[in-house]
Amino acid sequence: MTTNLAQNNQKKSTPRTRLVSGIVLIIAGLAIVLLFGRNIQPGLQSTFGLTPQGDSNVIPIPDLVLPAQPAIYVLALVTIFLGAWQLARGIRSTNLLVGLVAFCYVAAFLVWAAMGRSMDLVGMMNTSLVRATPIALAALCGVVSERAAVVNIGIEGIMLLSAMTSVMLASLTHNLYLGLLAGMLTGMFVAALHAILVIQFRVDQIISGVAVNIVGAGASSFISNRYLQISNTLNNSGVFPNLAIPGLVKIPILGPVLFENNIMVYLMLILVAVTFVVLFYTRWGLRTRAVGEHPKAADTLGINVYMMRYVNVILGGMVAGMGGAYFTIGSVGRFDKLMTAGKGFIGLAAMIFGNWNPIGALGSSLIFGFADSLQIKMQILSIPIPTEFLQMAPYIVTIVVLAGLVGRVHTPAADGTPYIKQ
Amino acid sequence: MPPVLELRGITKSFPGVLANDAIDLSLEKGKILALLGENGAGKTTLMNILYGLYKPDKGQILINGQEVVIHGPSDAIARGIGMVHQHFMLIPVMTATENVMLGVESIRNGIFLDKAKVAKRIQEISKQYDLEVDPQAYIGDLPVGSQQRVEIIKVLYRQADILILDEPTAVLTPQEVEGLFKVLRSLVASGKSIIFITHKLKEVLAIADQIIVLRSGRVVGSVDTKSASQEKLAAMMVGRAVNLVVKKKPASPKDVVLSVKDLFVRDERQNLTVNGASFDVRAGEVLGIAGVQGNGQTELVYALTGLSPLVSGEICIMDKPVHHTSPRNILERGVAHIPEDRQKHGLILTFPVQDNLVLCTYYQPPFAKGLALQQKIILETAEKLVEQYDVRTPNIFVPVSTLSGGNQQKVIVAREFSRPIHLLIASQPTRGLDVGSIEYIHSRIVEKRDEGTAVLLVSPELDEIIALSDRIAVMYKGQIVGILPAARINKAYLGLLMAGVKPSEALETTPATIQEAEVERVF
């Protein structure tokens, strides 16, 4: 599958595009100097914390201290060098190029923001992962159902409803696991409804998805206003505690980022891995992909197209339900109306950016999560950019990423089209 | 021994159509049975019944003398019936191995796909029947011929004894057809039985043991190949005697209508595929462009019709240059275009027949008055054209996608020929059509020529080029390597030019054959 992915992502670069992109890169490198490199007092340092403060679990390692001005100049030079290399020889992988340049920009920005201060880099990476969790679960729901060619844009609505039901049941029973189960069952039921509408009755998949979103937002807001905001017994569940994995948590950097989270983050990571293996290495996955690419071919080989689609959409709904539950019982312990704030849609963007591949979806969710955690950090560091702009970061990243992606990913060929058996 | 497969009285009707009417047939072990019939005669319906995709209204299916009921493709597969569909049922983004194993996956360790095992089995089948295929290749990267081999392997992998091939040669080049026939022969030699669906007479005579001819859902004849001839089969298929030779008077060419000088055009992948082509077409003549597919013909036509820009060179239509001219502007000058891919460039498939019939002129009076379409006039015109051009359609309001290929092509011909034209650009005008439709479209093209239209005919079918053209230009690697009057060439010479042999050398190797053209068409 990786080869397939590469095939789709690498376009032949013509001499002209090489020339243009090379020049753009050199300008981008100069822009780094202009944006971040001006008016820096020489000798100012940026400190990045690599060991969380007050965390006794981790083997401590020294902080990363960079002289601000030289570091920014080096990053600018790397970008300019990449541009020159592109002009002279050409770089084969556009993805690699874009990735490297994006890295240079983000690094330069961080050095600039942390100038003369200390920034908890490990903490920020951990926040990225935590913030990416609901996005990744939403994306995974998208992958599972769209690989079988059913578009589910109702993920946002599903997550809202699940967030609500999970906190209610968890508050009532004082059992977070029952809350999680309630969230997943809610997701399952709503997805099943969507599946029946679009598979059995061939309702337009977008319309059905929009309906799910409207119902999800409306119903959860109503119930929240009417009951949850008043009654504490229904809307006070507590959250899953962080669970340090013995041994692994001691690893510097990796430990505090990966192995000291609550159970839902681990569940998400496991689900991503399992979905990847199932999708590409098992019978179920092969059939799912076949149904999403060419349902008629699958049908002529005796595969039950409808059954495959139903099960995938419903399983996807359970995953999205888990993502919804994360907002309440995995994060703040109470429900507020519209608290998912578009994460379901960002999840769909992550799915597309990840080329309908679970690992890719996780990777792009992490980018969105990083944008989110960066924005939080910047507010704390009170850098001279208005908060409102900083809060836009994840959404701006979404737009930029999707705009740059046109024609570079492979959508399942039958995605969004109902199958009509003769 | 009972026949491998026997159908008795199979009847199937769709709303308004009796697709199969009490069809009987039997297939002997190790034989090739050809099912011959025009498009829409009910061949594919019958085979879809056999494969479990449709349920018959009446009738019995017997396999090895035992009556069976087939509920779906899995039933058919379980009973040893395999089908190679006309439109391949392959998934382009998957490998050959994945496509072959789909539905009957080999599993190791309980859950994981065992691709290695399947790939090995594919290689065994490849070797046994001479079906060369790379198991690891992605289907989308393979040429059509290889894709078909994967389809056949897919069927053999499921241990089918009865293979149904639906129009297997429609998409193949002549060389690939030869390869396919070799494979079919080796299959029957090893005891498999084959049903071969086609409307091409030549192929039936070349490969089949027994021929069953269908017309309008009925069996109109069952003949032994030895006692069959093309004329006889064609007449059975169409229901009347068919003219296999195009009758035409000598051309009387007049002024130059289309002139092309040093034309260079790039294809979608930015490769130069037309490399300095030059030629003229005069009013009242047919210039045929012969050549193996992929030698720049497609891009040449795109440039002439304004579908793609020219890199350099000159195109003049009616003495006016074409450069950055929109397709609409070009057709308003009196150019008609029968495109190579009728479903992609010729029709809007989801639109009704009536709208497709006025696609070139809907914005002009009398079809439009200001911003409003004149539905009544469009409707009347469409009714008239359907009648005049013999388009077989239930009515003019059905989507054009529901028509058979031949009738879709007639819609295009009706649309293009019903407006005043000076130049007709016909690209593979009879691709995939049956005898009756071919005869019809050929006679219409000749008729247009006699009315004084300049005709540019592009076709990889040499027989068609020879039958229709007054002059023949051979295109090779984007250049016109020679233009000769049709009366002076024969196939052998043309074939050499098409293969890239220089005209002078080609003449030397075929000195005695430059004589009166054999104006004969073989299907």
Side-chain angles (χ1 to χ4, degrees):
Chain A
M1 200 57 212
T2 40
T3 48
N4 195 5
L5 220 143
Q7 270 173 6
N8 288 321
N9 280 352
Q10 282 171 11
K11 275 183 161 180
K12 241 193 206 172
S13 74
T14 57
R16 189 187 295 168
T17 59
R18 222 178 78 189
L19 186 73
V20 171
S21 65
I23 292 171
V24 166
L25 284 183
I26 290 175
I27 295 172
L30 296 174
I32 290 184
V33 178
L34 282 178
L35 278 172
F36 308 120
R38 288 180 311 162
N39 307 330
I40 298 183
Q41 298 160 20
L44 217 52
Q45 287 181 327
S46 303
T47 310
F48 294 102
L50 296 183
T51 313
Q53 283 156 358
D55 191 336
S56 53
N57 281 331
V58 191
I59 300 164
I61 55 163
D63 291 347
L64 178 70
V65 182
L66 296 171
Q69 201 167 28
I72 288 173
Y73 282 139
V74 166
L75 290 165
L77 277 175
V78 168
T79 309
I80 292 170
F81 174 76
L82 283 172
W85 185 278
Q86 170 80 335
L87 279 181
R89 306 278 294 275
I91 292 168
R92 191 160 305 156
S93 161
T94 321
N95 289 349
L96 182 71
L97 199 62
V98 172
L100 282 172
V101 172
F103 172 80
C104 287
Y105 257 81
V106 170
F109 178 73
L110 288 178
V111 170
W112 174 73
M115 202 159 49
R117 285 179 281 216
S118 170
M119 185 190 270
D120 178 9
L121 195 61
V122 163
M124 210 171 105
M125 282 156 76
N126 180 254
T127 317
S128 302
L129 177 65
V130 170
R131 292 269 164 165
T133 300
I135 301 175
L137 287 168
L140 214 52
C141 165
V143 169
V144 170
S145 92
E146 291 203 13
R147 277 287 182 172
V150 178
V151 173
N152 186 353
I153 63 158
I155 295 174
E156 179 82 5
I158 292 179
M159 294 214 299
L160 274 171
L161 288 170
S162 307
M164 185 186 70
T165 54
S166 59
V167 80
M168 283 164 73
L169 198 71
S171 303
L172 277 175
T173 60
H174 301 288
N175 187 329
L176 290 168
Y177 290 97
L178 280 181
L180 179 59
L181 191 69
M184 291 173 67
L185 287 177
T186 309
M188 194 180 111
F189 280 120
V190 181
L193 181 72
H194 176 66
I196 292 169
L197 285 177
V198 303
I199 300 169
Q200 181 70 38
F201 297 104
R202 290 184 214 128
V203 172
D204 186 285
Q205 301 185 357
I206 302 299
I207 291 175
S208 171
V210 168
V212 168
N213 281 332
I214 293 172
V215 168
S220 65
S221 297
F222 173 74
I223 295 173
S224 169
N225 281 350
R226 192 71 190 270
Y227 304 105
L228 300 187
Q229 301 305 324
I230 304 160
S231 154
N232 232 348
T233 50
L234 276 176
N235 197 15
N236 184 14
S237 65
V239 296
F240 283 112
N242 272 4
L243 213 75
I245 296 181
L248 291 173
V249 77
K250 288 199 166 64
I251 306 168
I253 303 180
L254 229 50
V257 173
L258 280 179
F259 301 113
E260 208 175 353
N261 289 302
N262 76 35
I263 189 162
M264 298 198 67
V265 177
Y266 299 131
L267 277 178
M268 179 274 286
L269 291 171
I270 292 167
L271 267 180
V272 167
V274 168
T275 313
F276 178 78
V277 171
V278 167
L279 207 46
F280 297 111
Y281 298 99
T282 68
R283 178 191 317 212
W284 182 269
L286 184 71
R287 293 185 174 188
T288 295
R289 287 183 289 136
V291 161
E293 291 288 340
H294 197 337
K296 186 142 192 228
D299 195 12
T300 57
L301 295 174
I303 292 168
N304 187 336
V305 177
Y306 297 134
M307 195 271 288
M308 292 300 299
R309 288 190 174 177
Y310 267 115
V311 175
N312 272 286
V313 174
I314 289 170
L315 286 176
M318 293 176 76
V319 176
M322 193 189 277
Y326 171 84
F327 284 96
T328 48
I329 59 175
S331 165
V332 290
R334 56 175 283 119
F335 183 81
D336 291 299
K337 66 175 183 179
L338 304 182
M339 70 188 303
T340 53
K343 294 292 190 298
F345 294 110
I346 294 184
L348 284 175
M351 165 196 77
I352 296 171
F353 189 40
N355 205 1
W356 284 266
N357 178 318
I359 307 276
L362 172 62
S364 28
S365 299
L366 285 172
I367 293 178
F368 294 118
F370 179 74
D372 211 2
S373 81
L374 191 66
Q375 150 303 98
I376 300 167
K377 206 72 182 178
M378 292 305 113
Q379 287 186 43
I380 297 168
L381 286 173
S382 66
I383 61 155
I385 298 176
T387 327
E388 287 77 8
F389 282 107
L390 287 173
Q391 281 172 345
M392 288 181 202
Y395 306 97
I396 292 174
V397 171
T398 311
I399 292 172
V400 171
V401 156
L402 286 183
L405 222 66
V406 177
R408 312 179 98 253
V409 288
H410 174 78
T411 315
D415 203 5
T417 45
Y419 179 64
I420 303 167
K421 212 174 152 75
Q422 281 159 329
Chain B
M1 210 171 82
V4 179
L5 174 75
E6 203 178 344
L7 300 183
R8 285 187 197 155
I10 298 285
T11 303
K12 171 81 185 172
S13 62
F14 294 109
V17 201
L18 189 60
N20 285 162
D21 186 4
I23 290 183
D24 299 316
L25 69 77
S26 74
L27 173 66
E28 303 290 331
K29 188 175 164 66
K31 296 280 187 224
I32 299 180
L33 172 74
L35 209 53
L36 187 69
E38 295 197 85
N39 292 326
K43 298 167 294 189
T44 302
T45 307
L46 183 64
M47 289 305 112
N48 281 340
I49 288 172
L50 184 51
Y51 194 61
L53 290 171
Y54 296 151
K55 252 193 199 72
D57 301 339
K58 257 191 278 177
Q60 293 168 295
I61 300 172
L62 286 83
I63 291 175
N64 293 322
Q66 296 226 305
E67 186 173 350
V68 293
V69 181
I70 297 171
H71 293 291
S74 0
D75 269 5
I77 294 166
R79 301 196 189 282
I81 300 174
M83 181 143 167
V84 175
H85 298 262
Q86 183 176 4
H87 304 286
F88 297 152
M89 293 296 165
L90 295 170
I91 296 155
V93 296
M94 291 188 185
T95 62
T97 307
E98 287 177 308
N99 269 287
V100 168
M101 79 197 303
L102 185 61
V104 286
E105 299 85 353
S106 288
I107 299 295
R108 66 184 158 80
N109 297 342
I111 52 167
F112 297 109
L113 295 173
D114 195 347
K115 291 184 194 173
K117 190 174 155 196
V118 178
K120 209 176 134 224
R121 180 87 189 98
I122 290 175
Q123 270 159 346
E124 283 166 20
I125 298 175
S126 281
K127 222 173 267 163
Q128 190 182 347
Y129 298 106
D130 209 10
L131 285 156
E132 197 193 323
V133 149
D134 172 11
Q136 265 76 43
Y138 283 92
I139 297 298
D141 297 336
L142 294 176
V144 180
S146 309
Q147 291 188 13
Q148 188 170 59
R149 289 199 285 276
V150 176
E151 274 283 37
I152 295 174
I153 290 176
K154 213 164 101 179
V155 168
L156 295 174
Y157 185 82
R158 287 163 174 73
Q159 302 185 323
D161 293 316
I162 303 168
L163 280 80
I164 307 169
L165 293 103
D166 190 1
E167 306 269 359
T169 57
V171 288
L172 302 184
T173 65
Q175 288 82 354
E176 285 172 332
V177 170
E178 265 317 301
L180 174 68
F181 282 2
K182 229 189 256 165
V183 169
L184 296 188
R185 285 190 195 107
S186 79
L187 283 172
V188 287
S190 71
K192 310 271 181 199
S193 317
I194 294 175
I195 299 182
F196 186 94
I197 304 176
T198 188
H199 58 247
K200 294 188 180 171
L201 303 171
K202 205 178 178 179
E203 290 170 359
V204 166
L205 293 173
I207 191 84
D209 298 304
Q210 181 79 18
I211 303 166
I212 285 187
V213 185
L214 289 187
R215 191 171 76 229
S216 319
R218 253 184 238 143
V219 176
V220 289
S222 172
V223 281
D224 209 62
T225 310
K226 287 177 210 110
S227 61
S229 73
Q230 288 198 39
E231 286 74 18
K232 204 167 129 191
L233 289 174
M236 279 166 86
M237 243 167 98
V238 184
R240 59 180 163 81
V242 180
N243 236 332
L244 290 177
V245 178
V246 181
K247 284 204 194 90
K248 55 174 188 160
K249 292 175 289 194
S252 48
K254 300 193 180 66
D255 301 337
V256 172
V257 174
L258 169 70
S259 115
V260 175
K261 271 196 205 90
D262 294 326
L263 185 67
F264 287 83
V265 187
R266 286 185 199 282
D267 68 2
E268 281 169 348
R269 291 193 212 127
Q270 301 300 318
N271 301 321
L272 266 182
T273 40
V274 179
N275 276 314
S278 302
F279 58 89
D280 290 335
V281 188
R282 291 171 175 276
E285 73 162 353
V286 178
L287 176 72
I289 301 226
V292 178
Q293 241 173 327
N295 273 288
Q297 298 98 318
T298 305
E299 288 75 22
L300 173 70
V301 171
Y302 281 3
L304 292 177
T305 50
L307 290 172
S308 75
L310 22 152
V311 177
S312 69
E314 207 179 52
I315 300 173
C316 275
I317 297 174
M318 309 287 290
D319 294 328
K320 271 198 279 182
V322 172
H323 192 68
H324 289 303
T325 314
S326 71
R328 173 176 285 186
N329 197 311
I330 290 174
L331 63 88
E332 279 173 351
R333 291 189 199 176
V335 177
H337 177 205
I338 301 180
E340 179 182 310
D341 186 341
R342 61 177 158 264
Q343 304 207 330
K344 198 165 152 201
H345 292 128
L347 298 165
I348 300 178
L349 289 174
T350 53
F351 276 21
V353 173
Q354 61 161 348
D355 290 351
N356 272 290
L357 281 167
V358 295
L359 270 187
C360 302
T361 42
Y362 68 91
Y363 56 94
Q364 293 170 332
F367 302 122
K369 206 188 231 169
L371 289 175
L373 287 178
Q374 301 299 299
Q375 288 298 352
K376 209 175 143 229
I377 298 175
I378 292 177
L379 195 142
E380 282 165 7
T381 313
E383 294 279 14
K384 216 172 65 200
L385 287 176
V386 163
E387 169 91 41
Q388 195 182 336
Y389 286 84
D390 191 28
V391 182
R392 309 252 169 94
T393 169
N395 58 56
I396 58 170
F397 308 110
V398 297
V400 77
S401 59
T402 59
L403 269 54
S404 70
N407 282 306
Q408 289 183 357
Q409 194 75 341
K410 281 183 190 168
V411 170
I412 296 174
V413 169
R415 176 182 74 214
E416 300 295 324
F417 285 15
S418 60
R419 55 199 176 90
I421 55 169
H422 304 293
L423 172 64
L424 167 65
I425 298 172
S427 193
Q428 307 193 20
T430 58
R431 177 172 163 184
L433 301 190
D434 52 59
V435 194
S437 306
I438 292 176
E439 184 196 25
Y440 180 83
I441 285 172
H442 280 177
S443 65
R444 284 287 179 164
I445 290 175
V446 172
E447 207 176 286
K448 271 287 156 192
R449 179 202 74 162
D450 293 342
E451 285 170 17
T453 307
V455 180
L456 180 72
L457 172 75
V458 181
S459 175
E461 305 258 353
L462 209 44
D463 298 323
E464 178 166 55
I465 292 277
I466 293 177
L468 287 178
S469 307
D470 301 308
R471 289 189 300 142
I472 298 174
V474 179
M475 198 160 180
Y476 178 73
K477 290 205 170 160
Q479 284 173 328
I480 302 293
V481 291
I483 303 183
L484 294 131
R488 284 199 45 227
I489 7 183
N490 70 359
K491 270 184 172 177
Y493 178 67
L494 267 185
L496 286 172
L497 288 187
M498 282 164 66
V501 179
K502 289 205 184 76
S504 51
E505 291 168 24
L507 262 179
E508 278 166 31
T509 42
T510 53
T513 51
I514 305 293
Q515 43 185 267
E516 285 300 297
E518 336 147 5
V519 187
E520 169 199 47
R521 201 170 71 229
V522 190
F523 290 96

